[in-house]
């Protein structure tokens, strides 16, 4: 097949080069954006009298027909046509002849692909934002049911202080809320229109770039033609945002994997979100959580691959940049695959409240509260810290929890301890007296949940 760019060549491209060079197998997913961009470009060419208005109208009408045919499964793309841009242009020329050959006036594939990838990523980012909003709603709904479900909080994977499951869930709400904010911020920098940059130096045609930008819904146009065709910062930035989403999913999944083990037994996954063993009949494996945790690695790898691809490219466009699409497409696909199944998994799991409470009572999670009790009685904190440290050592030797100590035993460590210590170091008091903004007290968490619901109502 004769190449649309083949005028200066005296021989056909090697078949292996055609296969190697072609990107249609993965960039065909941008067909909507490519056609939408071409419709705006052709409309502008006609308005500016760069091409006859009659040809412009023919091009626009037939592009819309091609779009419908693609969506109806009537179009088969060709590897020899290299990419989605050339495939659509080839079909257009076959259908309307010379008028179709005018479409590429004042345009290069360099600024065309830069346009398509920006439009595609903005569309996909909007979809992921909606998925994150759904995730936030699931977390808030689950947290609303567990403002009194006490569990141990951890540092270094060692029991530290008691919190509530609602408080723990709302920590992930904050993470995913930041993810949502990052994606929206990233989309602002993606929402700049590069068409009109040409191959690298613009064009002598009187293009109306602002009109095209307006037609396509862009907020602005790129201000440097070299940067317009060679910028892939927005791809890398999105890859970073998606890597952070996967990191947050993976962290929670790691906890769920631990919590569903017999050693913790804090949660049990629904049968619909678990798998069994081919040899061990007793097994109920948290494979969904494990797969999400595993898939985080591929998204991280794509981020590093994109950074590595771009790090040594001189201005302006280079063919290396074709390698931007598969990594970001797979990152998008992975996040869109993981978020819905994650939401359904946590919405259907059983929370074992009694085991969580039992877990919070082990490991001396109220030790800090004993120290705070002593401080409120007048002891300097560092002295109180040392006293409670000795108290913990004693309790370990005698296989007791702090709140199991008798008053006589307490008195051995400090004369200022009274009967009110038992209430002061109960799990409920330990949690609900932490009323500082951002703390785990029920009234504070309920306020955080109310604020979260108000935030989500505005989305």
């Amino acid at each position: 097949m004769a190449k649309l760019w083949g005028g200066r060549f005296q021989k056909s491209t090697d078949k292996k080069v055609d296969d190697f060079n072609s990107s249609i197998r993965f960039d065909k997913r941008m067909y909507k954006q490519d056609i939408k961009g071409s419709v705006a470009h052709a409309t502008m060419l006609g308005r500016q009298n760069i091409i006859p208005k009659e040809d412009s109208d023919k091009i626009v009408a037939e592009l819309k027909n091609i779009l419908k045919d693609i969506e109806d499964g009537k179009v088969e793309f060709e590897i020899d046509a290299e990419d989605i841009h050339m495939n659509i242009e080839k079909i257009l020329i076959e259908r309307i002849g010379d008028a179709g050959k005018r479409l590429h006036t004042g345009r290069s594939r360099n600024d065309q692909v830069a346009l398509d990838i920006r439009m595609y990523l903005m569309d996909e980012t909007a979809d992921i934002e909606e998925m994150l909003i759904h995730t936030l709603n699931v977390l808030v709904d689950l947290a609303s049911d567990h403002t009194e479900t006490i569990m141990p909080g951890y540092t270094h994977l060692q029991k530290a202080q008691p919190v509530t499951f609602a408080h723990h869930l709302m920590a992930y709400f904050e993470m995913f809320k930041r993810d949502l904010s990052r994606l929206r911020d990233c989309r602002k920098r993606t929402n700049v229109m590069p068409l009109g940059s040409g191959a690298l130096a613009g064009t002598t045609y009187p293009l109306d770039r602002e009109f095209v930008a307006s037609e396509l819904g862009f907020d602005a146009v790129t201000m440097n033609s070299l940067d317009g065709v060679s910028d892939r910062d927005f791809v890398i930035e999105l890859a970073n945002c998606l890597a952070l989403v996967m990191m947050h999913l993976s962290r929670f999944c790691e906890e769920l994997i631990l919590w569903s083990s017999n050693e913790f037994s804090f949660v049990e996954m629904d049968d619909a979100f678990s798998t069994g063993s081919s040899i061990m009949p007793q097994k109920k494996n948290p494979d969904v959580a494990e797969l999400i945790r595993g898939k985080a690695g591929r998204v991280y790898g794509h981020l590093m691959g994109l950074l590595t691809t771009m790090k040594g490219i001189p201005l302006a466009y280079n063919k290396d940049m074709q390698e931007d699409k598969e990594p970001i497409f797979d990152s998008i696909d992975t996040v869109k695959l993981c978020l819905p199944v994650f939401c359904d998994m946590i919405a259907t799991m059983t929370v074992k409240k009694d085991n969580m409470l039992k877990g919070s009572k082990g490991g001396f999670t109220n030790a800090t509260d004993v120290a705070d009790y002593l401080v409120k009685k007048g002891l300097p904190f560092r002295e109180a810290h040392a006293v409670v440290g000795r108290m913990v050592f004693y309790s370990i030797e005698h296989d007791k929890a702090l709140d199991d100590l008798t008053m006589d035993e307490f008195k051995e460590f400090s004369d200022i301890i009274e009967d009110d210590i038992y209430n002061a170091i109960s799990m409920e008091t330990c949690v609900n007296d932490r009323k500082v903004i951002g703390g785990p007290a029920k009234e504070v968490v309920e306020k955080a949940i109310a604020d979260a619901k108000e935030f989500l109502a505005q989305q």
Side-chain angles (χ1 to χ4, degrees):
M1 185 189 81
K3 306 293 186 184
L4 295 179
W5 45 258
R8 64 94 68 207
F9 289 81
Q10 301 303 306
K11 61 190 298 186
S12 298
T13 313
D14 187 282
K15 181 64 170 63
K16 290 189 291 297
V17 173
D18 277 338
D19 294 341
F20 184 69
N21 192 51
S22 175
S23 59
I24 188 61
R25 67 186 183 279
F26 54 83
D27 68 16
K28 62 186 177 183
R29 66 167 67 192
M30 299 192 299
Y31 71 89
K32 289 182 183 177
Q33 290 76 19
D34 193 78
I35 290 175
K36 186 177 180 181
S38 290
V39 166
H41 181 66
T43 302
M44 179 274 296
L45 292 176
R47 278 170 52 94
Q48 295 294 100
N49 295 315
I50 296 171
I51 67 173
K53 181 68 163 56
E54 179 183 354
D55 288 348
S56 172
D57 291 342
K58 281 184 181 179
I59 292 169
V60 169
E62 196 54 45
L63 283 170
K64 292 177 180 178
N65 290 334
I66 293 171
L67 175 60
K68 185 177 186 306
D69 287 346
I70 293 173
E71 293 182 334
D72 290 344
K74 297 178 181 178
V75 172
E76 188 171 333
F77 297 121
E78 299 178 3
I79 289 178
D80 286 352
E82 297 182 12
D83 53 37
I84 189 60
H85 329 294
M86 301 293 274
N87 264 274
I88 289 173
E89 187 175 348
K90 177 178 177 291
I91 295 168
L92 180 69
I93 292 170
E94 287 174 350
R95 292 188 179 188
I96 65 173
D98 286 347
K101 296 177 181 179
R102 300 187 189 279
L103 171 61
H104 210 54
T105 307
R107 185 175 73 171
S108 166
R109 271 195 298 177
N110 294 357
D111 60 351
Q112 186 179 0
V113 68
L115 173 74
D116 288 2
I117 188 68
R118 284 178 183 269
M119 293 171 64
Y120 181 83
L121 294 188
M122 285 193 292
D123 289 343
E124 292 294 323
T125 300
D127 288 347
I128 294 172
E129 287 171 14
E130 289 301 314
M131 288 183 173
L132 282 172
I133 290 169
H134 175 66
T135 304
L136 293 172
N137 274 293
V138 170
L139 289 169
V140 166
D141 289 345
L142 193 56
S144 298
D145 295 334
H146 291 284
T147 57
E148 296 181 357
T149 302
I150 296 175
M151 65 174 290
Y154 295 82
T155 65
H156 309 279
L157 203 56
Q158 305 293 314
K159 290 179 181 178
Q161 293 176 306
V163 293
T164 63
F165 187 43
H167 189 56
H168 196 101
L169 290 165
M170 292 306 290
Y172 283 97
F173 179 93
E174 294 298 322
M175 296 181 208
F176 290 117
K177 184 180 176 184
R178 289 195 297 271
D179 289 329
L180 179 63
S181 176
R182 265 187 291 268
L183 282 170
R184 287 174 171 170
D185 199 46
C186 176
R187 192 143 55 97
K188 291 177 185 177
R189 281 177 288 282
T190 308
N191 197 13
V192 184
M193 206 273 297
L195 202 62
S197 299
L200 75 161
T203 179
T204 59
Y205 296 103
L207 304 183
D208 187 346
R209 298 188 68 205
E210 287 79 8
F211 170 81
V212 176
S214 177
E215 286 287 287
L216 297 175
F218 282 95
D219 289 338
V221 299
T222 54
M223 299 308 294
N224 182 283
S225 60
L226 290 167
D227 184 56
V229 297
S230 65
D231 171 31
R232 293 297 184 272
D233 291 0
F234 60 95
V235 180
I236 296 169
E237 187 175 358
L238 177 58
N240 179 64
C241 292
L242 298 179
L244 283 166
V245 171
M246 290 304 299
M247 182 266 284
H248 294 148
L249 286 173
S250 183
R251 289 185 73 180
F252 202 171
C253 285
E254 168 69 9
E255 291 182 321
L256 294 174
I257 292 162
L258 289 171
W259 293 351
S260 62
S261 68
N262 181 259
E263 286 73 15
F264 280 80
S265 197
F266 286 175
V267 300
E268 182 177 348
M269 299 304 174
D270 189 85
D271 283 358
F273 292 87
S274 305
T275 63
S277 166
S278 64
I279 187 172
M280 296 170 284
Q282 83 280 11
K283 294 295 294 298
K284 185 175 183 180
N285 299 327
D287 278 10
V288 172
E290 290 173 358
L291 269 175
I292 293 172
R293 183 179 61 180
K295 287 179 183 295
R298 69 192 292 160
V299 179
Y300 292 1
H302 293 325
L303 172 59
M304 292 310 301
L306 286 164
L307 285 166
T308 304
T309 295
M310 292 301 298
K311 75 176 181 65
I313 296 179
L315 292 176
Y317 182 84
N318 293 264
K319 192 67 170 180
D320 315 46
M321 293 164 68
Q322 182 171 291
E323 291 297 303
D324 66 342
K325 293 170 194 63
E326 288 177 284
I328 196 62
F329 291 168
D330 188 70
S331 292
I332 289 167
D333 292 347
T334 301
V335 170
K336 292 178 75 172
L337 181 69
C338 290
L339 281 172
V341 73
F342 169 81
C343 288
D344 290 348
M345 177 182 66
I346 64 171
T348 57
M349 70 184 179
T350 300
V351 178
K352 299 181 178 181
K353 299 180 182 181
D354 292 343
N355 288 349
M356 284 188 169
L357 178 60
K358 181 181 177 181
S360 70
K361 291 181 177 180
F364 307 102
T365 61
N366 54 356
T368 301
D369 297 272
V370 179
D372 289 341
Y373 171 87
L374 294 173
V375 169
K376 291 170 185 176
K377 294 285 187 178
L379 203 64
F381 179 78
R382 278 300 162 209
E383 290 184 31
H385 188 285
V387 168
V388 178
R390 293 192 294 271
M391 200 180 292
V392 168
F393 183 76
Y394 173 89
S395 298
I396 292 171
E397 283 193 318
H398 292 81
D399 194 25
K400 287 187 173 186
L402 289 173
D403 35 358
D404 289 336
L405 297 179
T406 66
M407 183 53 57
D408 288 340
E409 287 173 310
F410 273 127
K411 289 287 188 181
E412 290 180 16
F413 296 97
S414 176
D415 289 336
I416 62 176
I417 297 176
E418 304 294 340
D419 286 340
D420 59 350
I421 192 170
Y422 292 108
N423 179 65
I425 66 174
S426 71
M427 290 298 111
E428 291 76 11
T429 302
C430 291
V431 169
N432 291 318
D433 273 6
R434 286 182 158 78
K435 299 177 182 179
V436 64
I437 294 173
K442 180 182 177 182
E443 64 183 77
V444 177
V445 174
E446 286 179 340
K447 174 65 165 57
I449 291 171
D451 291 344
K453 288 180 177 179
E454 183 178 351
F455 167 79
L456 289 168
Q458 296 170 358
Q459 303 309 303

